[in-house]
Amino acid sequence: MRERIGVLGGGLVGALISILLVKKGFRVEVFEKRPDPVKNISTEGRSINLALSHRGIRALTLAGVFEEIEPLLIPMYGRMIHIENSTDFQSYGRKDQFINSVSRQQLNAVLIAHAKQSGVSFHFEQSIQKTNPVTGGITLPSGISHHFDFIIGADGAFSELRKTIGALNNTFTTTEETLSHGYKELTIPAIDGSYALDPNALHIWPRKDYMLIALPNTDKSFTCTLFLANEGQPSFSRITSPQQIKDFLVGSFPDAMKLIPDYVDQFQKNPTSTLQNIKTYPWAYQKALLIGDAAHAIVPFYGQGMNAGFEDCRILIELLEYNHLNWEKTVTDFQHQRKKDADAIAELALQNFLEMRKHVIDEAFLRRKQLESKLNKAFPDEWLPLYSMVTFSDIPYHQALHTGKLQLQAIQTLGNDYNPDNVDLKALINTFKTLAQADR
Ligand SMILES: Cc1cc2nc3c(=O)[nH]c(=O)nc-3n(C[C@H](O)[C@H](O)[C@H](O)COP(=O)(O)OP(=O)(O)OC[C@H]3O[C@@H](n4cnc5c(N)ncnc54)[C@H](O)[C@@H]3O)c2cc1C
């Protein structure tokens, strides 16, 4: 009889790992504090969406669930930058490359429905406060305990299992960094049943110290997220009265606010949330392992948190296969291989905040993008831009980060005033190769 696995958290990562494990023949039970999203799909209220890209799609395909998710996706081919009264479209990669906007709630519901059909048992509305990584125990709020051969903590950034492991293991370290910026969601409704903006782009209103972004939903609305400092000027703490909200939003994003008639009301009603970067290690202790945000919660600016969590699921399953389903060997390999990638995408995500709110309108940044696009076209095997390595490939995040740094060094040898049309591309590739060689 195959081992029993308990999964804590039926969010995106918990639902996906449960499918992959049950398909490997394990008996899987998931404990989730919220109600069943399959029964509670609401068409009202705020719709929160995420960007799904290659790494996530690869894991969903491995689980055999991507076909059911594909109809929910809206392709976004690049960034639409809104500057004063004009827009500038910056493609993400080649013409055929795109990321996908998807509703978190719909994606979760499809994953859970698929998991149920595949034989996973779910216990909803069970907020677990007690786990035992030594015995594989999970205690329900009623006091009843379930015992498993192994437990997986996919219980998100505020993981209960992470706290328990931390209390038991004196080599365990966790750092929680809260950003000085927070965020608030606003909705651009459909206009006469149509999208108010181009749905095939991720819209950004970069304002240096803060920014607004918008991703499309299948109901023709857009979910906007305002990223703004928590303190200082301007900040969430200083913008509170209807007049202050109006002055700030209309002053900063006049075109967007024309599309949100009730922006004052939304700003006041919708919560302001914090952004956190959580690092922890080790991820495994005796009969327990942390994955997804429970192991590595990152800020959302590269659109990779969920994708990285889904990639965790794929790599864990591949290692289980490689190690003939030996959990002890698998979790050791998993955390060893994956920790450096989690740290790298955390660093990249922080860097990208600056890129999105500030650099996308810098002349030097645009020149570099133009040069990199030329390099990639002329030497596709030798120069893949950092964004493409992260978003459209499986190159481990730590390698992408490192290669990106060498690429930047190579470009810096051109000085500050180069013209992308006059650069000797072959010579630049050789400079990059020399730097990479010296770095080995
Ligand atoms: C504003 C914002 C935008 C983002 N945009 C993107 C994006 O565009 N692309 C992307 O890839 N990522 C994005 N992310 C990151 C992404 O949301 C997370 O990485 C992803 O949700 C992690 O999935 P998870 O299953 O590990 O955790 P979660 O989604 O947090 O799920 C954890 C689950 O565990 C349950 N749970 C928690 N504690 C308990 C308990 N004690 N008992 C039982 N159940 C419990 C929760 O109810 C939840 O269902 C974004 C994040 C934010 C904040």
Side-chain angles (χ1 to χ4, degrees):
M1 181 72 94
R2 276 283 163 82
E3 291 150 301
R4 285 180 74 210
I5 312 295
V7 177
L8 204 61
L12 300 172
V13 172
L16 181 60
I17 196 65
S18 75
I19 298 172
L20 287 162
L21 288 171
V22 89
K23 288 192 173 171
K24 280 270 151 279
F26 292 102
R27 290 177 294 152
V28 186
E29 291 182 42
V30 177
F31 299 84
E32 168 55 49
K33 69 177 174 192
R34 293 172 306 172
D36 183 350
V38 178
K39 294 185 187 151
N40 291 282
I41 273 275
S42 82
T43 48
E44 289 170 15
R46 288 183 304 141
S47 155
I48 298 175
N49 47 28
L50 302 156
L52 172 71
S53 52
H54 173 79
R55 292 172 202 262
I57 291 172
R58 182 163 171 205
L60 294 167
T61 306
L62 179 71
V65 67
F66 183 61
E67 269 183 24
E68 290 162 57
I69 288 161
E70 221 172 347
L72 309 174
L73 306 181
I74 304 171
M76 299 180 291
Y77 291 87
R79 297 163 169 166
M80 187 71 82
I81 310 295
H82 295 250
I83 326 149
E84 295 181 2
N85 286 327
S86 65
T87 54
D88 174 33
F89 180 76
Q90 301 174 0
S91 62
Y92 279 133
R94 297 190 316 256
K95 282 200 170 66
D96 59 339
Q97 288 178 317
F98 51 87
I99 61 174
N100 303 278
S101 178
V102 64
S103 147
R104 177 191 288 274
Q105 197 190 19
Q106 287 180 354
L107 177 57
N108 208 173
V110 170
L111 288 171
I112 287 177
H114 190 99
K116 285 182 185 172
Q117 278 162 17
S118 310
V120 176
S121 305
F122 281 86
H123 305 261
F124 288 104
E125 298 178 68
Q126 300 293 332
S127 182
I128 307 298
Q129 306 303 325
K130 209 169 152 200
T131 51
N132 189 335
V134 180
T135 62
I138 291 181
T139 306
L140 303 185
S142 64
I144 296 170
S145 292
H146 292 246
H147 283 275
F148 295 93
D149 296 297
F150 203 82
I151 51 180
I152 294 185
D155 49 341
F158 305 102
S159 171
E160 200 49 50
L161 185 60
R162 188 176 68 233
K163 284 179 209 145
T164 308
I165 295 180
L168 289 170
N169 181 354
N170 56 15
T171 66
F172 189 86
T173 53
T174 300
T175 54
E176 298 185 11
E177 180 196 353
T178 302
L179 248 65
S180 54
H181 281 65
Y183 70 95
K184 188 186 280 291
E185 276 142 0
L186 303 169
T187 304
I188 296 180
I191 299 179
D192 299 330
S194 301
Y195 285 106
L197 298 164
D198 179 351
N200 296 123
L202 189 154
H203 295 262
I204 309 181
W205 289 259
R207 298 296 182 260
K208 293 204 168 116
D209 295 327
Y210 55 94
M211 68 175 178
L212 182 74
I213 67 167
L215 275 76
N217 297 310
T218 47
D219 67 359
K220 310 271 164 81
S221 67
F222 282 82
T223 302
C224 301
T225 312
L226 169 67
F227 295 97
L228 177 68
N230 295 315
E231 302 293 335
Q233 192 65 9
S235 70
F236 282 117
S237 65
R238 302 256 180 110
I239 300 166
T240 50
S241 71
Q243 192 58 48
Q244 286 168 333
I245 295 169
K246 188 173 174 207
D247 290 348
F248 172 70
L249 290 180
V250 176
S252 302
F253 317 110
D255 54 334
M257 290 312 124
K258 279 189 194 134
L259 307 173
I260 312 180
D262 59 342
Y263 60 85
V264 172
D265 203 34
Q266 288 195 32
F267 192 97
Q268 286 181 317
K269 275 194 192 140
N270 295 346
T272 305
S273 307
T274 55
L275 292 164
Q276 282 195 312
N277 212 349
I278 301 177
K279 291 187 179 175
T280 193
Y281 205 74
W283 293 351
Y285 184 70
Q286 301 215 1
K287 289 184 172 184
L289 172 71
L290 303 170
I291 60 170
D293 273 19
H296 47 77
I298 62 174
V299 294
F301 306 111
Y302 228 115
Q304 284 294 312
M306 164 189 66
N307 287 288
F310 284 175
E311 193 173 56
D312 281 353
C313 298
R314 173 180 68 80
I315 290 173
L316 184 66
I317 289 297
E318 287 174 356
L319 286 171
L320 263 173
E321 269 170 26
Y322 180 77
N323 291 312
H324 309 290
L325 307 185
N326 176 327
W327 278 94
E328 200 181 329
K329 177 90 178 68
T330 298
V331 296
T332 306
D333 290 354
F334 176 74
Q335 61 178 357
H336 180 73
Q337 173 175 339
R338 210 55 193 143
K339 171 66 175 158
K340 51 187 185 298
D341 288 324
D343 287 349
I345 190 58
E347 184 176 335
L348 285 161
L350 278 170
Q351 279 175 18
N352 223 42
F353 188 24
L354 211 58
E355 177 162 323
M356 287 174 84
R357 68 182 152 93
K358 192 163 181 281
H359 295 164
V360 287
I361 41 177
D362 285 353
E363 197 266 330
F365 171 84
L366 297 174
R367 240 176 335 133
R368 199 179 98 211
K369 284 268 156 201
Q370 206 187 328
L371 174 62
E372 289 208 64
S373 165
K374 279 173 174 286
L375 282 161
N376 180 239
K377 257 190 208 131
F379 302 97
D381 298 331
E382 283 152 297
W383 192 286
L384 193 56
L386 178 58
Y387 186 87
S388 300
M389 286 190 271
V390 171
T391 310
F392 303 127
S393 90
D394 299 308
I395 295 170
Y397 290 125
H398 78 277
Q399 268 180 34
L401 174 68
H402 187 65
T403 306
K405 284 180 181 166
L406 294 174
Q407 288 175 333
L408 188 60
Q409 274 180 38
I411 292 177
Q412 280 167 346
T413 63
L414 300 173
N416 294 329
D417 318 311
Y418 65 86
N419 175 345
D421 292 328
N422 297 336
V423 170
D424 180 343
L425 300 179
K426 183 73 200 151
L428 187 55
I429 291 285
N430 286 336
T431 307
F432 168 66
K433 282 186 181 163
T434 309
L435 286 167
Q437 204 100 45
D439 186 67
R440 272 198 200 123

